[in-house]
Amino acid sequence: MRAALDAAAAAAARGEVPVGAVVVLDGQIIATAANAPRSLHDPTAHAEMLAIRRAAEAIGDDRLSDCDLWVTLEPCAMCAGAIVHARIARLYYGASDPKGGAVEHGPALFAQPTIHHRPDVYGGIGESEAAGLLREFFAGRR
């Protein structure tokens, strides 16, 4: 989670919402990313999406079934869908997102009966630091 939190802090320094993500395979980070929708002019450039794309490219496969995803914020519906399609084995996330999250909140995507893959989910890891980054970022915007 430390690497994801560092990526989130770097995103904040660039004016992006501070969310960071890493993909881990066999205990090694194979992809790191931070939110970049504004800088890339791409609404799909969430940290999770970028990390999943980079990990798939790194291993040469669209299935990341032996990989773990560590992200600082509960994934949204788009990112949760990508997690399903990539067959991520385990999801670890920091802060919950009652407004935009889709794992614990909102559509609770992984609990839907039609979902064909469900990762193991572990929330609240590094939650206070992840939430603090978000609070500071948005306080500075107000």
Side-chain angles (χ1 to χ4, degrees):
M1 185 58 83
R2 176 80 267 148
L5 289 163
D6 291 346
R14 293 189 312 274
E16 298 279 1
V17 174
V19 178
V22 297
V23 177
V24 174
L25 175 63
D26 297 329
Q28 300 294 316
I29 294 174
I30 61 167
T32 303
N35 263 7
R38 295 192 183 278
S39 61
L40 295 178
H41 310 290
D42 178 357
T44 70
H46 289 194
E48 302 95 308
M49 300 292 285
L50 296 172
I52 288 169
R53 288 177 189 145
R54 290 174 185 163
E57 185 175 337
I59 67 169
D61 195 346
D62 63 323
R63 300 289 170 97
L64 304 175
S65 54
D66 294 325
C67 295
D68 302 334
L69 175 65
W70 293 76
V71 62
T72 59
L73 183 64
E74 176 183 354
C76 70
M78 173 182 67
C79 294
I83 291 165
V84 168
H85 287 286
R87 308 292 201 285
I88 296 286
R90 284 162 297 280
L91 167 66
Y92 300 89
Y93 70 88
S96 292
D97 186 357
K99 290 182 182 178
V103 174
E104 176 184 350
H105 296 92
L109 194 70
F110 304 144
Q112 299 304 313
T114 57
I115 293 298
H116 58 272
H117 172 76
R118 289 174 183 79
D120 296 332
V121 177
Y122 306 91
I125 300 167
E127 181 174 17
S128 61
E129 188 172 349
L133 284 169
L134 289 159
R135 274 193 302 276
E136 289 174 23
F137 178 82
F138 287 112
R141 299 279 182 228
R142 293 185 185 115

